[in-house]
Amino acid sequence: MTAAHDPVPLQDAPAADRIALQLIRDIMRGVYRPGERIREQEVAARLGVSRGPVREALRMVEQDGLVENTAWKGARVVLLALNDVEDLFLLTAALMAVVARLVVRRATDDELAEFARRVEAHAPTSDPSRPTQDQLYAAFGLGAYLFQIARSPQLKETAARVVRLIYWQHRVLNGIEAEWRLEAVETWRRLAAVLFQRDAARAERAINAVDRHSRQRVLQIHRQLGGSVYRLFGPQNETR
């Protein structure tokens, strides 16, 4: 998708790419809830475009895994079962392990120092008075920076769809307890410290600890609530 991967300015990208990016943002923010139908005509009217690029945009979003098109019913936001979420986390853990090893090998000392600085900048978002989505957004920003300094366009491209789906699933962390939020920051701090040691095996274990901390909570919520977990999705004063 041009809007997601190419350096072309967004305003110069094809209409379908711009619409696709807007739809992805809407789904992430809870404008469209899991299982909800996305009607071409309504999207076209809201964005002031024709239905043609909307239809193309929906096909793009379907490739990202956030939308499914079914015969006679049109496009709907996906509903992921517990097994689907477990599989996504397994994929994410494997991808992040590779990222950690590449960062150890390829990142400069200055880049590792910048990562540590970003971790500390992220820490205040764990304050219970801050929206959980602030912490979530910052954490995924840290992950994105690691992909950047790993210097593997192929890995970044491969991971894009999985990471986006995982981000969407993490929205169930709204209202998470303060202790969990503080521990999440500590897992990032430990990772930053280990990366400086240039030990690939330890870096892999540290990044898996970051992933495991959030994975356990998300899967716990899914197991407890089943399909009703998706009632937790929706606008949460989201501004991202």
Side-chain angles (χ1 to χ4, degrees):
M1 186 188 307
T2 302
H5 305 302
D6 287 355
V8 177
L10 184 57
Q11 65 272 18
D12 297 331
D17 290 65
R18 298 196 303 271
I19 297 166
L21 183 57
Q22 183 61 54
L23 288 172
I24 288 171
R25 288 172 174 168
D26 288 345
I27 293 170
M28 293 293 182
R29 295 169 181 168
V31 175
Y32 296 108
R33 299 175 66 84
E36 182 176 350
R37 183 178 176 186
I38 302 179
R39 294 174 171 81
E40 292 179 10
Q41 187 171 354
E42 292 178 359
V43 174
R46 176 165 63 91
L47 300 181
V49 297
S50 64
R51 293 179 65 174
V54 173
R55 189 175 303 114
E56 184 179 352
L58 284 169
R59 286 196 292 267
M60 292 177 177
V61 180
E62 183 180 21
Q63 292 175 354
D64 267 12
L66 289 169
V67 163
E68 57 186 1
N69 279 291
T70 56
W72 311 111
K73 293 183 179 180
R76 292 183 185 274
V77 182
V78 296
L79 284 166
L80 296 179
L82 176 60
N83 286 344
D84 298 324
V85 181
E86 290 174 333
D87 290 349
L88 284 171
F89 274 114
L90 285 174
L91 286 169
T92 304
L95 290 167
M96 295 308 293
V98 176
V99 168
R101 289 181 174 272
L102 291 179
V103 167
V104 165
R105 185 189 311 165
R106 298 176 178 176
T108 66
D109 288 345
D110 285 345
E111 287 170 334
L112 295 182
E114 171 63 14
F115 177 69
R117 186 198 68 76
R118 293 186 183 205
V119 169
E120 292 309 313
H122 153 59
T125 64
S126 66
D127 189 295
S129 65
R130 298 279 296 272
T132 311
Q133 293 305 313
D134 285 357
Q135 186 173 10
L136 171 61
Y137 188 81
F140 272 78
L142 293 175
Y145 184 70
L146 289 177
F147 272 98
Q148 176 184 330
I149 63 178
R151 293 185 174 83
S152 176
Q154 295 86 354
L155 178 61
K156 185 176 180 180
E157 181 74 18
T158 299
R161 177 180 180 272
V162 175
V163 171
R164 185 172 287 131
L165 283 167
I166 286 291
Y167 178 92
W168 188 57
Q169 287 300 303
H170 272 74
R171 284 184 55 85
V172 302
L173 295 178
N174 287 310
I176 204 73
E177 59 270 15
E179 181 179 355
W180 185 97
R181 297 180 67 168
L182 291 171
E183 178 58 26
V185 173
E186 290 306 312
T187 63
W188 284 107
R189 283 177 169 149
R190 288 191 287 270
L191 172 61
V194 167
L195 289 174
F196 273 113
Q197 299 171 15
R198 302 287 182 175
D199 185 321
R202 292 191 65 190
E204 183 176 335
R205 289 195 294 271
I207 207 167
N208 279 338
V210 172
D211 176 74
R212 184 169 58 252
H213 180 69
S214 60
R215 178 179 72 234
Q216 288 173 340
R217 182 58 176 164
V218 172
L219 293 178
Q220 178 187 24
I221 294 172
H222 268 272
R223 292 185 182 109
Q224 289 174 343
L225 299 180
S228 64
V229 67
Y230 290 108
R231 68 178 175 78
L232 300 176
F233 284 85
Q236 299 287 333
N237 299 317
E238 180 76 71
T239 58
R240 302 298 180 189

